[in-house]
Amino acid sequence: MLHVEKIKPLTKEFLESIGFYWHTDNDNTSYVADELVLVSNEEVEAYYEAANELYDMFAQAGQYVIDNNLFHELNIPFNLVELIKNSWENDVHWHLYGRFDFAGGIDGKPIKLMEFNADTPTSLYETAIIQWAMLKANGMDEAKQFNTVFEALKENFKRLVVLGGDTEDFSHYYEGWKILFSSIRGNIEDENTTRLLQSAANEAGFHTDFAYVDEVGFNQEGVFKGDENFEYWFKLIPWENIAIEEGDLALLLDEIVREQKAIILNPAYTLLFQSKAFMKVLWDMFPNHPLLLETSFEPLKGQKQVEKRAFGREGANTVIYERDMSVIEQTEGEYGNFKPIYQAYVELPKDSEGRSYQAGVFFAYEGCGLGFRRGGLIMENFSKFVAHRIKD
C-alpha cells in the first residue's frame, strides 16, 4: 500500500502571490492535496530510468512510423504530415519537454507506461514550483524531492542552440535569437505555465517575449509580434487543435518550417508521441517489454482493458471494461470522433482510503521531476495534484 503524510497546506494567498491561481476546483475543494506521497531513493531512480529508456524507445518507434507512413493509423491529421516529417528530419527541432504518465512504481508493483503527454503537458507549474514550496513551507528539506524540472528546462533551452553539444558552450553559439511564448487568452493555467517556460528561457540566456495567440502574426517570412520577427515560437496549443480548427495556419506553419523561417516548440513530431495510438506501435516493436501495456486497435480478447481515444485530455472519453467487456466505469467528452485504442488495464497504487495515484514524470533531455495525481479509477479534471517527499 502507498504511504502518504499530512502536511500544512499552502494558503491561497501564498499560492496567488507566486502566480498559482487554479488552486480551487469547481466543487470548491483544493486542487493541491495537503499531503505528500512518500517514495524511496530506489523508487525515484526507477522512475528516472524508466523515462529515459522509454524516450529512446519512442525515438526508435517514431522513425518506424515515418519510414512506414503510419500517420493514418495514429489518427494524425493529414495537413500535419509533411510538417511532422520536416521537423523530424532536422535536429534543430528539439523536443523541449514532455510528461510520462505511469502506473505502479511506489507499491512494489512494476512501472507501466499509460501514455506520454509529449506536446502540451500540464501540471508543469505544480511539479516544478508548488511541490517544492510545500516542502519549504513545512520546514522540510526541499532537496528531498525528485524535482530538477526548472534547471532541466533551462539546460534544454540551451540545447536548442548547442543541440548535442555541451550546454556550457551556449554563449559561443548563441546569436541573440529570440523566443516568442504564446498561450490562449483567458486561460490563466496555460498562461502561467507558458510564462514559467519563458522564465526558464530567460535564465538560459535567450531574449524572450510573450503574446496571446490572437496577437501573433504569421506570414511566409515567419512568426511576428507586431513588426518584430522571432526565430522560435513556443505555443501551448495542441498540434491537433491547430490542424483541425486552424487548417490555414497549419499549412502556413509547414511553409515557415520548411523554409527555415522559424522553429516551433514543441516540434510537430511530438504529435506522434502524443497520440495514444502510438502505444500500439510501441507494443508491436517491443512486445512484452516490462514497461509497456499491451495495446491494440481492436478490443483485447478476454482481458480487463481500457478504451481511450487517440487524442483526448483529462480522462475524457475513457471506458474501463471487465474481461467480458461489461463496462466498469466510463467518462463522456468531446474526443469521441478520434480513433479508439484498447490498452490492458493496470491497477493504480492506492492509499489506505482506497484512492488511486498516478505518477507523472517530466522529461527534458532526461527524466527530471515527479508528481502525482489522485483520483478514482479514471483520472479526470477533478483529480488532485499530490506532491512527494523522498523518505530518509
Side-chain angles (χ1 to χ4, degrees):
M1 186 175 294
L2 170 150
H3 296 289
V4 297
E5 65 179 354
K6 285 282 188 185
I7 57 165
K8 181 180 68 181
L10 301 173
T11 66
K12 292 179 181 179
E13 292 74 24
F14 174 79
L15 289 170
E16 291 180 8
S17 76
I18 60 172
F20 190 77
Y21 292 92
W22 55 103
H23 47 62
T24 304
D25 283 330
N26 292 339
D27 60 358
N28 222 29
T29 59
S30 176
Y31 160 56
V32 179
D34 59 345
E35 62 187 29
L36 303 171
V37 176
L38 297 177
V39 296
S40 67
N41 276 309
E42 292 75 21
E43 288 165 340
V44 160
E45 185 65 24
Y47 279 129
Y48 171 78
E49 296 292 348
N52 296 346
E53 182 175 356
L54 282 164
Y55 198 86
D56 287 344
M57 292 161 61
F58 268 78
Q60 291 177 57
Q63 189 65 60
Y64 180 82
V65 166
I66 288 170
D67 290 346
N68 293 278
N69 206 33
L70 300 180
F71 301 98
H72 179 70
E73 285 82 347
L74 299 191
N75 220 173
I76 302 297
F78 72 93
N79 56 353
L80 288 180
V81 169
E82 290 308 311
L83 182 52
I84 287 170
K85 289 178 180 176
N86 288 334
S87 67
W88 183 266
E89 288 162 8
N90 191 332
D91 286 346
V92 301
H93 300 285
W94 195 261
H95 188 187
L96 189 59
Y97 79 117
R99 191 193 76 234
F100 290 102
D101 285 344
F102 291 132
I106 41 174
D107 54 354
K109 292 180 181 174
I111 295 170
K112 294 288 185 181
L113 174 67
M114 302 178 79
E115 57 196 59
F116 184 27
N117 300 277
D119 178 19
T120 54
T122 54
S123 75
L124 181 71
Y125 204 101
E126 297 90 303
T127 305
I129 306 297
I130 300 303
Q131 64 171 350
W132 174 82
M134 291 171 78
L135 291 192
K136 196 168 176 63
N138 279 270
M140 297 174 175
D141 180 0
E142 54 263 38
K144 292 286 188 179
Q145 211 168 64
F146 174 26
N147 182 9
T148 58
V149 175
F150 193 77
E151 289 302 315
L153 287 169
K154 276 170 54 178
E155 290 297 292
N156 227 16
F157 273 112
K158 293 178 182 179
R159 289 189 189 93
L160 296 176
V161 173
V162 304
L163 298 178
D166 191 335
T167 54
E168 294 290 319
D169 298 331
F170 173 79
S171 59
H172 298 309
Y173 292 95
Y174 177 61
E175 297 182 14
W177 295 310
K178 297 168 291 190
I179 309 179
L180 181 63
F181 288 82
S182 296
S183 65
I184 294 172
R185 189 188 299 271
N187 185 323
I188 191 65
E189 180 179 355
D190 283 3
E191 179 179 337
N192 282 6
T193 298
T194 304
R195 290 185 184 275
L196 177 66
L197 287 155
Q198 182 185 0
S199 176
N202 282 334
E203 290 199 22
F206 281 91
H207 297 302
T208 72
D209 202 349
F210 177 90
Y212 295 113
V213 175
D214 57 273
E215 299 173 320
V216 182
F218 307 93
N219 61 40
Q220 284 79 3
E221 293 305 309
V223 178
F224 296 82
K225 179 181 179 181
D227 294 330
E228 190 175 9
N229 180 268
F230 288 82
E231 288 83 7
Y232 297 89
W233 182 47
F234 175 88
K235 47 106 206 123
L236 200 67
I237 308 139
W239 273 111
E240 72 270 21
N241 288 12
I242 293 174
I244 294 165
E245 298 166 14
E246 302 286 347
D248 289 344
L249 177 59
L251 294 173
L252 185 53
L253 291 175
D254 182 28
E255 185 177 345
I256 288 169
V257 167
R258 191 172 63 248
E259 298 299 323
Q260 300 182 347
K261 299 296 185 182
I263 293 167
I264 303 165
L265 306 168
N266 273 314
Y269 65 74
T270 58
L271 189 60
L272 301 179
F273 299 167
Q274 181 81 29
S275 171
K276 296 175 182 63
F278 197 86
M279 304 297 140
K280 158 73 160 61
V281 177
L282 281 175
W283 184 258
D284 288 348
M285 290 184 67
F286 306 98
N288 300 306
H289 189 284
L291 292 171
L292 299 179
L293 293 167
E294 182 178 356
T295 307
S296 174
F297 294 150
E298 306 295 331
L300 301 168
K301 298 265 193 306
Q303 286 195 57
K304 197 171 178 181
Q305 60 196 278
V306 181
E307 177 188 333
K308 306 175 182 179
R309 297 292 156 162
F311 297 105
R313 289 162 198 277
E314 296 185 320
N317 300 97
T318 300
V319 188
I320 301 177
Y321 295 104
E322 193 48 89
R323 292 174 186 273
D324 63 0
M325 295 304 286
S326 58
V327 174
I328 297 173
E329 184 118 350
Q330 70 181 110
T331 57
E332 302 301 320
E334 58 191 50
Y335 306 103
N337 290 332
F338 290 114
K339 181 175 186 167
I341 61 116
Y342 300 86
Q343 187 179 64
Y345 178 80
V346 61
E347 193 86 29
L348 292 171
K350 288 184 167 58
D351 62 17
S352 59
E353 296 179 39
R355 301 174 299 184
S356 299
Y357 290 74
Q358 177 180 290
V361 176
F362 276 92
F363 185 92
Y365 190 68
E366 62 182 351
C368 60
L370 171 67
F372 291 91
R373 293 178 76 201
R374 186 189 75 203
L377 289 177
I378 299 172
M379 295 294 163
E380 35 73 38
N381 59 347
F382 279 121
S383 299
K384 306 303 184 185
F385 177 80
V386 188
H388 74 284
R389 181 174 72 83
I390 298 173
K391 292 180 283 194
D392 297 322

